[in-house]
Amino acid sequence: MNESVTRALTTIARYTALSLLLAFFTLPLLWLAFAPFDRTPTIAASLPRFTLDNFRQLLENPQALRSLRNSALLAAGTGALVVVFSALAAYALSRVRLPGRDALLYVLLLLSSIVTGTAAMVPLFNLAFELGLIDEQLGVILVLGGGLLPSAVFILKDFMDGTPRSYEESARVFGASPLQIVRHVVVPLVRPGLATIAVWSVAQVWGNFLIPFLLLRSPEKSPAAVVMYTFYTEGGQPDLALIATFSLLYSLPVVLMFLFVSSRYGFRFHGGIKS
Amino acid sequence: MAAISLTGLTKVYPGDVTALDALDLEIRDGEFFALLGPSGCGKTTLLRTIAGLESATGGTVAIGEREVTALPPGRRDVAMVFQDYALFPHMTVRDNIGYPLKIRKTPAARRSAKAAEVAAELGLADYLARRPGQLSGGQQQRVALARAMACHPSVFLFDEPLSNLDARLRLEARTFLKRLQRELGVTTVFVTHDQAEALALADRIAVLEAGRIRQLGTPTEIYRRPANTFVASFIGSTPMNLLPGTVRGAWIRVGDALLPGPIGTDAAAALPDGAEVVYGIRPEYLRYTAQHAADVPGALPGRVTVIENLGSTQLLTLDPVAGGPPLQVTVPEDLPVTVGEPGYALPRPERVLIYRDGNLL
C-alpha cells in the first residue's frame, strides 16, 4: 500500500518535471508558429487572431527577401567550399602517413573555434581590410569556411578511415588515377559524411551573425541574420510582427534542408566487402 | 598472357622489417602459380609488389618482355582479385564488371555488352542489375573474377581467393577456379596459407618463409619430397612426423627402435654411424599393428593416446614407449583401436625422408 503510493508520487513528480522541461522548450516554438499569424503579436505565445497581413507587410519590405537570398548565397558558397576542400584534405590525411598528423588535426580543431569566435574579431577585420575583402561576400565565405574546415576535415577523416583501402587499391590496379578514385569510389562511399558536412556548414552559416555583421557594410549585401537586427518600428521598439514573420521564413529553409537530406542520405551502402 | 620474372626482389618496410629478401622467381606463361606460407611470410607483400601496390626497395619485376618495377599498377596489365573482393558497393554488378573498361574509356554501350558477356560466362547473367550487397559470397567472388576478366589482363593476381567462402562452397569454387584458369590460359598467381588449396589448384608452388622461398616445385614434388623440415611440417593435411634419430648403418635409431632408412637414395647410408638426423615420415605412410615380434627391427613401439575420426580414416596419436615426441599414424576407419592400447608404427621405407641440419638428404 505504502509502496504503491510512493511509486505513484514518484511517477507524478517525474511527469511534472518532464512537462515543465517540455514547456520550456515548446513555448518559444509555439510563439514562432503562432505570432506570424497574429494581428497584434506580443512576446507571449497565444492563440492568434488570424491574419496573413504580416506576410504581406514582410514581402513589401525590400530588405527581407533580398537578405534571405544573401543568406542562401553565403551558405551555399561556404558549404561548397567546405565540402570540396575538407573532402580532399580528409582523404589525403586519412591515406598518407604524415608525421604529427593527429597533433596537427587537434591543433587545427582547437584553433578553429577561435578563428570565427569573438576573440579574433579585430585581427579578422584587419586581415579582410588589407585584402580588400571588406563589404565583399567572398570575404565572409572565406572566413566562415576557414572556421568550419578543421571540424569538417576531422569528421570526414573518420568517415574516410572507415572505408576499406582495398576499394581504392582495386581501382588503382585497373588504372584509375587518384582523382578518378576519389570521384568514382571514395566520394560515393562517404556520401553520407559529405551530406552531413554540407548540412552542418549551411546551418552554421545560416545562423551566423557576427562575421557578416563585422565584414559587410552595405545593407543590400547583408544576410537575414543581420537584417533581422534592424527590424524596429519608428518608435525604436522591436517590430514584433515583422520579426516573428521573418523568423518563421528564416527557419523554414534549414528545416526543409534537414528533412530532404535525412530522407535522401539517411542510409549507408553496405555489402561490397565480405567480412 | 605473359611470364613473370622477379630478380633480387627486396622489400624492406620502415623500421627495418624485411618482408622480401632478395627473391628470385620465374613464373611461366600460362602457369597457375601458388605462393604458400604461414601468415607474415611475405606472400601477400610479394603479390602486391607484382601488382605494383607496394614498391620494391630492391630488385626488378618483369611481366612478359616488359620491366615494370617502376610502373604504377594500372600500367602493368595485371588484374587483381582481393581477399574481400572489394566490389564497389554503390555500383551494380554490371557497372562493377565494366569498371576497368570505363577507366580505359571504352564507350558505355560496348562496356555494358562486354560486362553482360563476361557475366554470362560466369553464370551471373541474372544478377547484372543487382548491387554487391544483394549477392551471396560465392556470387560476389564470381563478380570479382568477372571484373578481373573483363579487361583481358596478361596476369591475374588472386589474394586468398577462397578464404572468404564457407567450407562447402570453397570446394566448389576451387574446382571452378581451376577449370576457369585452364580455359583462359592466363598466367595466374595466387596467395594462400592453406596447403590443401595450393596442392589442389597450382601447377607449381613456392613455399615461403620469412621473405625467402624455401622450396619451389610441383605439388607432387613438394608433397613427396619436402626439401626441408619447414616445408615438411607445413605441407600435408596431417603434418609429417619428424623424429630425432641417429644413423646405424642402413638403419636409423629412433628412441630404442631401429627404423628402416630410405630406399632409392644412399645419401643417408653414406653418413657415419652416430650422425644425428631427423627421420621424416607422413602419418599416411606408417602402418599400424597391435602385435609385433620384439626382435624384428623396423617398428616403433608406443601407446595410443588419442584417436581422431577423419571419416574415411582414423588418425592415431602414439606416444613412444622410449619417450620422445608423439607421432601420428593414419589407419583405415574400420580398424578396431582403443585408447591406451600398446601398438607399433611401421614406416614404409620407400616413403622415408632423412633430414640433416633441416635439409633433405
Side-chain angles (χ1 to χ4, degrees):
Chain A
M1 181 63 192
N2 233 349
E3 207 175 292
S4 64
V5 168
T6 322
R7 204 181 309 149
L9 285 177
T10 321
T11 313
I12 290 170
R14 194 163 60 221
Y15 278 101
T16 313
L18 281 176
S19 306
L20 285 173
L21 202 64
L22 191 65
F24 183 76
F25 286 104
T26 314
L27 280 174
L29 288 178
L30 279 179
W31 180 83
L32 186 61
F34 290 146
F37 303 99
D38 202 330
R39 226 179 285 272
T40 51
T42 59
I43 51 165
S46 57
L47 274 183
R49 293 189 295 134
F50 188 80
T51 175
L52 287 175
D53 197 47
N54 293 337
F55 286 91
R56 193 184 49 75
Q57 207 184 325
L58 183 72
L59 293 181
E60 279 168 5
N61 187 321
Q63 298 269 30
L65 284 183
R66 190 170 52 212
S67 73
L68 281 173
R69 241 193 337 266
N70 286 337
S71 279
L73 182 75
L74 290 180
T78 313
L81 181 97
V82 168
V83 167
V84 170
F85 283 91
S86 66
L88 293 175
Y91 181 60
L93 282 171
S94 167
R95 294 312 193 226
V96 181
R97 248 178 245 276
L98 210 71
R101 173 183 65 184
D102 291 344
L104 176 81
L105 269 175
Y106 279 105
V107 168
L108 277 180
L109 201 60
L110 190 72
L111 289 179
S112 75
S113 52
I114 302 171
V115 168
T116 42
T118 326
M121 255 176 8
V122 176
L124 273 179
F125 185 86
N126 270 337
L127 186 65
F129 183 77
E130 295 296 332
L131 292 173
L133 287 175
I134 294 294
D135 206 20
E136 290 289 341
Q137 279 161 334
L138 180 65
V140 178
I141 289 177
L142 288 178
V143 169
L144 286 174
L148 296 175
L149 266 173
S151 313
V153 170
F154 197 77
I155 295 168
L156 267 183
K157 182 183 164 289
D158 235 36
F159 272 89
M160 305 269 184
D161 286 346
T163 57
R165 273 164 188 258
S166 53
Y167 287 134
E168 295 148 50
E169 292 182 337
S170 177
R172 256 177 83 199
V173 174
F174 293 127
S177 67
L179 263 180
Q180 279 176 319
I181 292 175
V182 169
R183 262 188 16 240
H184 297 160
V185 181
V186 178
V187 164
L189 287 174
V190 299
R191 199 141 49 183
L194 295 178
T196 308
I197 296 302
V199 169
W200 170 75
S201 21
V202 165
Q204 291 284 317
V205 176
W206 196 261
N208 194 297
F209 169 80
L210 183 66
I211 301 298
F213 180 69
L214 210 62
L215 298 183
L216 296 176
R217 303 282 90 181
S218 31
E220 58 272 19
K221 288 184 181 169
S222 294
V226 174
V227 163
M228 202 190 303
Y229 183 63
T230 65
F231 286 164
Y232 287 94
T233 58
E234 287 83 357
Q237 291 291 313
D239 188 341
L240 280 179
L242 208 55
I243 288 177
T245 318
F246 192 66
S247 299
L248 188 66
L249 276 185
Y250 175 62
S251 56
L252 272 182
V254 179
V255 173
L256 288 178
M257 174 183 70
F258 177 78
L259 291 178
F260 170 74
V261 171
S262 86
S263 71
R264 180 88 169 73
Y265 294 109
F267 64 93
R268 288 207 75 175
F269 289 117
H270 58 90
I273 293 287
K274 181 82 160 61
S275 46
Chain B
M1 271 127 277
I4 303 171
S5 67
L6 314 174
T7 27
L9 198 63
T10 304
K11 173 75 186 177
V12 182
Y13 283 110
D16 264 357
V17 182
T18 305
L20 301 175
D21 195 357
L23 204 123
D24 295 309
L25 181 62
E26 291 282 336
I27 297 168
R28 295 173 197 138
D29 187 11
E31 195 168 35
F32 204 174
F33 194 92
L35 299 170
L36 175 66
S39 27
C41 71
K43 56 189 191 298
T44 300
T45 306
L46 178 52
L47 193 79
R48 291 170 59 87
T49 311
I50 298 175
L53 291 170
E54 305 279 349
S55 53
T57 39
T60 59
V61 180
I63 295 176
E65 301 297 300
R66 283 195 311 155
E67 214 229 87
V68 298
T69 321
L71 290 184
R75 293 182 47 205
R76 295 188 176 202
D77 199 18
V78 301
M80 185 157 170
V81 174
F82 288 79
Q83 186 173 6
D84 54 20
Y85 311 144
L87 300 174
F88 306 128
H90 54 286
M91 296 184 194
T92 60
V93 168
R94 183 191 297 276
D95 290 344
N96 262 293
I97 299 177
Y99 187 73
L101 301 174
K102 181 176 177 177
I103 296 297
R104 294 181 183 186
K105 304 202 165 32
T106 312
R110 272 249 303 288
R111 206 158 73 210
S112 174
K114 181 72 195 169
E117 180 195 320
V118 179
E121 271 176 59
L122 298 188
L124 293 164
D126 296 339
Y127 307 108
L128 279 171
R130 296 212 193 161
R131 288 188 202 279
Q134 299 164 304
L135 301 177
S136 72
Q139 289 163 344
Q140 288 182 8
Q141 195 214 24
R142 276 182 286 152
V143 174
L145 284 172
R147 186 171 63 176
M149 282 162 60
C151 54
H152 290 295
S154 47
V155 170
F156 282 136
L157 303 172
F158 297 159
D159 188 6
E160 305 259 1
L162 303 176
S163 67
N164 271 329
L165 301 172
D166 51 52
R168 205 181 168 73
L169 208 54
R170 193 176 303 178
L171 291 185
E172 256 174 56
R174 202 165 75 182
T175 316
F176 175 82
L177 210 58
K178 185 147 189 171
R179 179 180 303 146
L180 187 72
Q181 201 273 339
R182 277 287 125 74
E183 285 169 8
L184 297 173
V186 175
T187 314
T188 304
V189 184
F190 75 103
V191 155
T192 181
H193 62 266
D194 182 350
Q195 51 85 29
E197 208 170 287
L199 290 175
L201 283 173
D203 297 327
R204 281 199 309 154
I205 300 173
V207 185
L208 275 82
E209 189 200 14
R212 289 163 192 244
I213 295 177
R214 298 305 305 270
Q215 189 171 5
L216 176 68
T218 65
T220 317
E221 284 164 11
I222 287 189
Y223 182 77
R224 287 234 182 112
R225 298 186 60 75
N228 45 60
T229 45
F230 170 76
V231 177
S233 58
F234 194 75
I235 298 281
S237 47
T238 48
M240 186 184 285
N241 295 303
L242 294 168
L243 311 166
T246 48
V247 176
R248 279 276 181 286
W251 299 81
I252 310 290
R253 187 181 184 84
V254 174
D256 286 340
L258 281 178
L259 299 179
I263 288 177
T265 163
D266 46 6
L271 289 175
D273 267 16
E276 298 207 350
V277 293
V278 170
Y279 191 86
I281 181 82
R282 288 197 184 280
E284 296 87 340
Y285 304 137
L286 280 169
R287 207 157 56 76
Y288 173 82
T289 173
Q291 307 291 330
H292 192 77
D295 52 346
V296 179
L300 187 80
R303 188 173 292 277
V304 177
T305 52
V306 181
I307 302 174
E308 291 163 67
N309 190 333
L310 304 182
S312 62
T313 54
Q314 305 178 74
L315 184 66
L316 309 185
T317 302
L318 212 65
D319 277 1
V321 172
L327 70 159
Q328 295 193 303
V329 186
T330 307
V331 299
E333 43 94 18
D334 52 359
L335 187 85
V337 194
T338 50
V339 173
E341 73 172 36
Y344 297 84
L346 289 77
R348 280 168 55 182
E350 72 275 20
R351 292 297 193 179
V352 169
L353 301 166
I354 301 296
Y355 293 92
R356 190 147 196 240
D357 302 325
N359 293 315
L360 184 67
L361 291 179

